[in-house]
Amino acid sequence: MAKVHPGATLTPHFRDFLPGWVARQPWYLGTGTPSLAPVGYFRLEDPAGQVGIETHLVTDGTVLYQVPMTYRGTAVTDGALAAAHALIATAEHSVLGTRWIYDGEADPIWRSELLRLVAISGVSDPSSKHGVGHAEARGHRLMPGNLTADTVTIELCRVVTRHWPASEVGIAGVVIGTWYPDGPGTRVATGRLAAVREKT
């Protein structure tokens, strides 16, 4: 598993590069560069321990966005991660050195670990970041069979809402999130973070 380093710093910080990247994405519903506030964080684990996997739930004051990110020690020069939009930023980690930070949705490690979460009906790991309420992602397997890139697709909910269809044809599993929109100790919110759909 990738080791977490409590107290480590990142330069530039997420607050410096994430708003500009979000503003350029087709799923962003606002105009201009948003002012983003963190609502919660959670992690998935790379069994090989090479790639950090962390999701940020952030709000512009109106909309809650989900931004999964992967942290790598070297740049990726082929595959989906080589696309210009997939690289969110490069930053200096105070312990690990240069990190290439990628959009998780484009990263095969993120996809495989999200499918694993659903396949075992597992729960995410907590982040070491502080200052917000606890956030969690929980997988729910709804159909038998293998959940692989050959058999299913992942529909990531970039805009997270508290309402979703009660039942849908072809959904093999879902990832349900919980977070505290008004901070620690307030009322918990629940919404769908992703759906895993059978390929037809």
Side-chain angles (χ1 to χ4, degrees):
M1 297 184 292
K3 184 178 180 180
V4 177
H5 299 273
T9 59
L10 197 69
T11 307
H13 192 272
F14 296 103
R15 72 174 75 92
D16 299 318
F17 61 76
L18 202 55
W21 183 83
V22 167
R24 296 190 296 272
Q25 305 313 305
W27 39 262
Y28 173 53
L29 301 181
T31 58
T33 301
S35 177
L36 297 176
V39 172
Y41 313 93
F42 59 85
R43 299 178 63 88
L44 303 178
E45 291 294 345
D46 170 21
Q50 298 300 308
V51 178
I53 309 170
E54 184 174 62
T55 292
H56 290 207
L57 300 176
V58 295
T59 181
D60 62 1
T62 303
V63 178
L64 182 65
Y65 295 101
Q66 178 182 190
V67 185
M69 288 177 272
T70 57
Y71 312 139
R72 290 173 172 266
T74 57
V76 179
T77 57
D78 61 355
L81 287 178
H85 72 277
L87 180 65
I88 296 177
T90 55
E92 291 300 315
H93 189 280
S94 59
V95 176
L96 301 175
T98 304
R99 299 284 96 183
W100 280 259
I101 303 174
Y102 289 97
D103 179 16
E105 191 175 24
D107 196 317
I109 298 295
W110 175 84
R111 292 196 297 270
S112 66
E113 292 315 303
L114 191 81
L115 291 179
R116 186 198 305 272
L117 191 77
V118 173
I120 66 173
S121 293
V123 63
S124 61
D125 294 319
S127 169
S128 62
K129 293 181 173 62
H130 302 290
V132 297
H134 176 69
E136 182 179 276
R138 189 175 293 272
H140 297 269
R141 187 178 187 134
L142 303 178
M143 293 183 180
N146 292 329
L147 302 182
T148 69
D150 294 328
T151 61
V152 297
T153 59
I154 297 171
E155 297 175 356
L156 179 66
C157 301
R158 291 289 195 171
V159 174
V160 183
T161 66
R162 305 186 196 190
H163 307 286
W164 63 90
S167 62
E168 296 174 68
V169 174
I171 297 294
V174 294
V175 179
I176 302 299
T178 56
W179 64 92
Y180 292 83
D182 300 314
T186 61
R187 180 176 296 182
V188 67
T190 302
R192 191 165 82 180
L193 300 179
V196 175
R197 187 180 297 274
E198 290 183 305
K199 287 184 176 180
T200 57

